[in-house]
Amino acid sequence: MSALFEALSARQGAVVEDAAIVHFGDPMREQRNLVTGSAVTLVSDRRVIEVAGEDRLTWLDSITSQALTQLRPGESTELLILDPQGRVEHAAGVLEDGSSAWLIADAPDAEGLVSWLQRMVFRSRATVSIRADLDLLGFFSGAAAEAVVTSAAAAPNGVPLVWADPWPAVQAGGHQYSQVSPHPAAEYQWRLAIVEADAAASAVSDLEVAGLIAADALRVAAWRPRWTSEVDERSLPHESDWIRTAVHLNKGCYRGQETVSKVHNLGHPPRRLAALHLDGSDDVLPAIGSAVFAGDSEVGRITSAARHFEDGPIALAILSRRAPMGDLVVHADGVEIAAAQQAIVPADAGATADVPRLTRLSRRPEGQDPRKA
């Protein structure tokens, strides 16, 4: 365990599960402190990956969904790695410092992501490594925590390593399917600082602290997808509205691009992410994977669930595109939980999905010469 983990886990009320500090006794208060910018979270469920070498950005650009060649020192974005059918295999935040590109990946995905990247280096001047010596501190910008944590962030090349989550706004080359305005992510000013444990432990000693439960509740409320929860073996980026920040629709060729373009321009995603407001009368929070029903038909599953300090019990669910709008029911631990549905990705998502198709030649009136049509 790092010095930072030891220092924070020694705080009063700290509850540790699976080598992570999940809360400090009051997740609701911890959420409020995060939102006001007075608290920090040790984000031990993610890993830091360094991509060094002079070809790092052009190389990453050529194999991922994001346009990266013009990324300047201090700028943040995120990327996806897709399979040939356009399904999500890996996801990572990206921060450039002028000498290295720093990737932030969910811990269960990190080793697989690094292994895949290393196999793809070939003759490119790039190296990829997990930096187990570095920790991550999460916070919301705009108040005391930002100044303290930014000053404690590692800066091996003179640029403080603070990743700004791009989720609050549609990024260049992206597209938003959600029709809700304002989007609930508009105020989601989430930051992750890459820190050296010893220096950070002393720097944050006077700040409020929050656990991962509090941080995740704010993510769910912002409809922010994560690899750990919203991605399975079938996931397309369209289904969770991830094209708004992680896919550049106008960049050059990359693996999976054909499917991304086809679904975006011609078809509807087969599934769609929805936000659920849960009935809290039974005090049961559904587990990831809990089934979602419309009447007697199972139409999807829960991907994330949380108790929010203002909204109460909430969840994200991946549903069949044909799942009806309106109230649903979640089956969890033998309890049926009523759920009010709010569409994140509408059933007719697709930028030009309803453009009329050209008449096929085989359907022209009998005897008509197609060259004269």
Side-chain angles (χ1 to χ4, degrees):
M1 299 299 177
S2 71
L4 181 57
F5 178 89
E6 292 179 356
L8 295 184
S9 61
R11 294 280 192 102
Q12 183 177 0
V15 175
V16 177
E17 296 179 4
D18 298 325
I21 305 173
V22 293
H23 66 83
F24 290 86
D26 189 351
M28 299 300 179
R29 180 181 60 82
E30 294 163 32
Q31 288 179 49
R32 294 187 185 94
N33 289 340
L34 280 173
V35 169
T36 60
S38 62
V40 296
T41 298
L42 179 59
V43 184
S44 53
D45 60 351
R46 300 194 182 189
R47 298 289 180 268
V48 178
I49 299 166
E50 183 179 9
V51 181
E54 57 188 284
D55 292 340
R56 64 190 180 281
L57 292 180
T58 54
W59 171 64
L60 286 171
D61 181 278
S62 70
I63 58 176
T64 73
S65 65
Q66 190 56 269
L68 299 168
T69 57
Q70 302 302 313
L71 200 64
R72 297 190 296 270
E75 291 186 336
S76 302
T77 186
E78 66 174 330
L79 58 79
L80 301 175
I81 291 174
L82 310 176
D83 73 6
Q85 289 73 45
R87 295 182 292 249
V88 178
E89 287 194 335
H90 307 285
V94 185
L95 172 65
E96 166 67 12
D97 74 356
S99 182
S100 294
W102 301 86
L103 308 185
I104 298 173
D106 285 358
D109 186 36
E111 289 189 4
L113 172 58
V114 168
S115 177
W116 188 86
L117 289 173
Q118 289 174 337
R119 293 198 304 271
M120 297 300 294
V121 170
F122 300 116
R123 296 183 180 181
S124 297
R125 291 165 294 183
T127 61
V128 184
S129 59
I130 293 180
R131 292 292 303 270
D133 57 316
L134 299 173
D135 286 340
L136 289 162
L137 281 175
F139 63 95
F140 276 73
S141 67
E146 180 172 23
V148 173
V149 178
T150 299
S151 66
N157 299 297
V159 176
L161 299 183
V162 179
W163 177 73
D165 193 333
W167 188 246
V170 181
Q171 302 299 295
H175 180 88
Q176 178 174 298
Y177 292 139
S178 173
Q179 299 170 358
V180 175
S181 182
H183 195 284
E187 303 300 323
Y188 187 68
Q189 302 298 319
W190 184 238
R191 304 288 186 267
L192 290 176
I194 300 173
V195 298
E196 296 176 350
D198 291 340
S202 58
V204 303
S205 59
D206 294 329
L207 291 176
E208 296 285 343
V209 286
L212 289 177
I213 288 176
D216 200 56
L218 299 175
R219 174 191 68 84
V220 174
W223 302 351
R224 211 290 182 237
R226 276 190 68 174
W227 183 91
T228 299
S229 49
E230 276 65 55
V231 172
D232 61 21
E233 69 281 355
R234 298 168 52 198
S235 295
L236 298 173
H238 318 66
E239 297 175 336
S240 54
D241 215 8
W242 222 339
I243 289 180
R244 71 197 303 272
T245 56
V247 176
H248 197 293
L249 294 168
N250 301 320
K251 63 165 283 184
C253 185
Y254 57 92
R255 191 171 71 160
Q257 182 191 30
E258 182 177 355
T259 298
V260 168
S261 297
K262 181 178 180 180
V263 174
H264 177 67
N265 290 309
L266 299 178
H268 306 292
R271 302 183 299 175
R272 59 182 181 84
L273 194 66
L276 303 181
H277 294 267
L278 306 174
D279 177 10
S281 57
D282 287 313
D283 197 31
V284 174
L285 198 64
I288 292 176
S290 296
V292 181
F293 281 78
D296 294 330
S297 300
E298 184 174 339
V299 296
R301 63 177 182 83
I302 297 294
T303 60
S304 298
R307 289 186 175 88
H308 189 264
F309 74 105
E310 291 181 334
D311 298 337
I314 56 176
L316 299 176
I318 191 73
L319 307 176
S320 166
R321 177 173 66 86
R322 301 186 184 280
M325 290 302 301
D327 292 347
L328 302 171
V329 176
V330 180
H331 290 204
D333 295 330
V335 176
E336 295 186 358
I337 305 171
Q341 177 188 175
Q342 186 173 15
I344 297 175
V345 176
D348 60 352
T352 58
D354 296 321
V355 171
R357 304 291 186 262
L358 293 175
T359 304
R360 293 182 181 272
L361 292 180
S362 60
R363 295 181 180 176
R364 294 183 184 277
E366 185 175 354
Q368 181 178 338
D369 186 342
R371 293 169 295 178
K372 299 178 181 179

